[in-house]
Amino acid sequence: MSKSSCQINKSCSSYTQGVKMYGLKEKDLKEIQKKHEIQRDYLDNHNFTTATGQVKSLLDVSFSANHSKRYYSEIINKINTINDIIATEETQYQSIFITITLDGFFRDFLKGKFLRYDESKHKADIPNNERFGFLRDKITNKEKFTIKDLYNVLNFQLNRFQKSNIFKKIKKDGYKAHYIRVCEPHKKDGVPHLHLMLYVPTRYLETLKEFYKIYFPAPQNVKPLDKNLDDGQLKGFQWEIKSAPAYILKYIFKSFLNVQNENELDYLQAWYIKHRILRVVTSHSLVPAWVYRKIAPLEKDWHYLTDIKINFISEWSKEDDYIRLEDEYNRTLEYQKGIYKLYYKDRIIKEFGTLKEDKPVDVNATINLKYKKKIKDPKIIIDGKPFKLIYNELIPINKFALLEPAYQKKPIIYTSNIELYRDYISMENKDVDSINLLHYGLVKNELIKRKQIKGEILPISDYQISTPKIIYYDDNVHSKDLIKNENDSNFILRKINY
């Protein structure tokens, strides 16, 4: 469709080339859709046989939010359980709808602009640790933030709020705060914000609001909900809600793809996938997710399982692979090492599964992990300027967090023959003290491997410079006598003058 026709026809699709939604372009959507289809095809086409002889695909047993309808139903089940438990509590609980939005200046961080950042005011609101990211360091180095960085800032601020004195007080008084959290992006640029449905005993409402204003002071959070009505509610802190489950569910419905009826991702789904952002997070339930998923072949009602946990007999051990739940009607659900049993009183009603064999553990065995946790390199700042340690050499980094132009080299395996050869000739014509010998060795070995030059491929360690041995002598000893028994050629002779 031409640009002119698009201007005439106002009903042009939002998928038009170049148009952004949630900070994404059409090419982003296509790339994410392609990856999504590859993942789904892989899960759907890889099968295994269960202990009962059933053939299942990896997709059948997946709990992925992007592919499995089981995950969505599990979330709804858990939310209903939270609300049902609160409804049966003797203490009156208050549902509070909380919105957490970042200050406007955080949008500047996506462009690498930090003029509105005031360290004395904003430092405490930005993390600088392994869990949430070293984001204050990124500000120091003038590095652009990502959408995931802003999401981590929100999580950091929420984590501080949940560890504040008001939550400690609730726990000390013997109560529990329950919550359901949804992350949502701004429609134009994709900047995230959080929605929480928080449940706490009513007596803590006003104190909690004061803590909210302290921890989330952004103007859009603390404005009155209705300036014509002085009821104390804020835009980010509301409690007069008719149906708390329905209120939060409308945000949850938007965040999920209907995997049963839809295959095409939209921009919103692509945003969650691209930035690896969790759609829904809930407080810990009394029945852990691993127990629910393990016992699901016998019982899928999370609320029923929770009721057994609260009022009747329950025991489980993840280490022993064992679960036993007994309700008020003498109905017992039991799982142990692959065997499922359903009892009524002392009689077995149903039994299936195959016993898992205990395999001997080889204490000397080596476990090879496919993925390793990425360890962040320490920041090196000298006189206010950032550096990076490469081959034991400090290399300056410019304000865009890139190596200075002289050091901007492609990985050798992706360098063309002509580029590699020019680099090699350039180093050949320089003094040995002015070049990086390890890089020289890598380039030379690669050229030999590609049959561009002749020579022997040497271990890269042969190009490392070791500290020379200093041999001293005087007029009474001839220098040749000193070195004739030296096997190491890396030495320096120094004459002593008396």
Side-chain angles (χ1 to χ4, degrees), residues 21-24 29 32 36 65-66 71 147-148 151 181-186 190-195 248 250-257 265-281:
M21 187 179 290
Y22 303 112
L24 302 178
L29 181 63
I32 296 164
H36 178 76
N66 300 324
Y71 180 83
I147 292 294
K148 189 61 179 282
Y151 174 70
R181 192 194 87 191
V182 182
C183 183
E184 192 177 39
H186 185 272
V191 171
H193 56 272
L194 301 178
H195 296 299
I248 194 67
K250 72 177 183 181
Y251 293 97
I252 294 174
F253 284 146
K254 285 197 297 182
S255 70
F256 277 92
L257 175 73
L265 297 175
D266 59 21
Y267 279 97
L268 181 57
Q269 309 305 323
W271 181 85
Y272 287 106
I273 295 171
K274 177 180 174 63
H275 301 298
R276 297 172 179 259
I277 290 176
L278 296 175
R279 293 164 170 80
V280 184
V281 177

Side-chain angles (χ1 to χ4, degrees), residues 173-306:
D173 291 347
Y175 303 109
K176 187 175 181 180
H178 303 272
Y179 67 87
I180 303 159
R181 192 194 87 191
V182 182
C183 183
E184 192 177 39
H186 185 272
K187 194 167 185 178
K188 182 178 179 182
D189 55 18
V191 171
H193 56 272
L194 301 178
H195 296 299
L196 271 84
M197 188 60 74
L198 179 66
Y199 302 89
V200 295
T202 306
R203 70 182 74 172
Y204 302 105
L205 177 63
E206 286 300 326
T207 310
L208 194 67
K209 186 177 84 168
E210 295 307 311
F211 272 83
Y212 171 83
K213 289 159 68 175
I214 293 169
Y215 281 89
F216 309 109
Q220 54 270 45
N221 291 331
V222 297
K223 286 180 180 178
L225 180 62
D226 186 343
K227 61 182 180 181
N228 299 318
L229 184 64
D230 187 17
D231 61 355
Q233 295 189 94
L234 309 174
K235 285 189 177 294
F237 196 95
Q238 307 171 35
W239 59 84
E240 288 189 2
I241 301 163
K242 291 181 180 179
S243 174
Y247 206 84
I248 194 67
L249 279 172
K250 72 177 183 181
Y251 293 97
I252 294 174
F253 284 146
K254 285 197 297 182
S255 70
F256 277 92
L257 175 73
N258 184 345
V259 296
Q260 196 165 5
N261 300 319
E262 298 175 30
N263 293 317
E264 294 293 323
L265 297 175
D266 59 21
Y267 279 97
L268 181 57
Q269 309 305 323
W271 181 85
Y272 287 106
I273 295 171
K274 177 180 174 63
H275 301 298
R276 297 172 179 259
I277 290 176
L278 296 175
R279 293 164 170 80
V280 184
V281 177
T282 67
S283 52
H284 291 300
S285 59
L286 294 173
V287 177
W290 77 266
V291 172
Y292 171 79
R293 290 172 181 175
K294 189 78 80 171
I295 208 71
L298 290 175
E299 181 56 65
K300 294 182 180 179
D301 189 337
W302 210 320
H303 180 247
Y304 169 72
L305 300 176
T306 304

Side-chain angles (χ1 to χ4, degrees), residues 34 66 71 209 259 343 385 439 462 480:
K34 185 177 179 180
N66 300 324
Y71 180 83
K209 186 177 84 168
V259 296
Y343 292 88
K385 296 180 179 180
H439 178 69
D462 288 2
K480 289 183 178 179

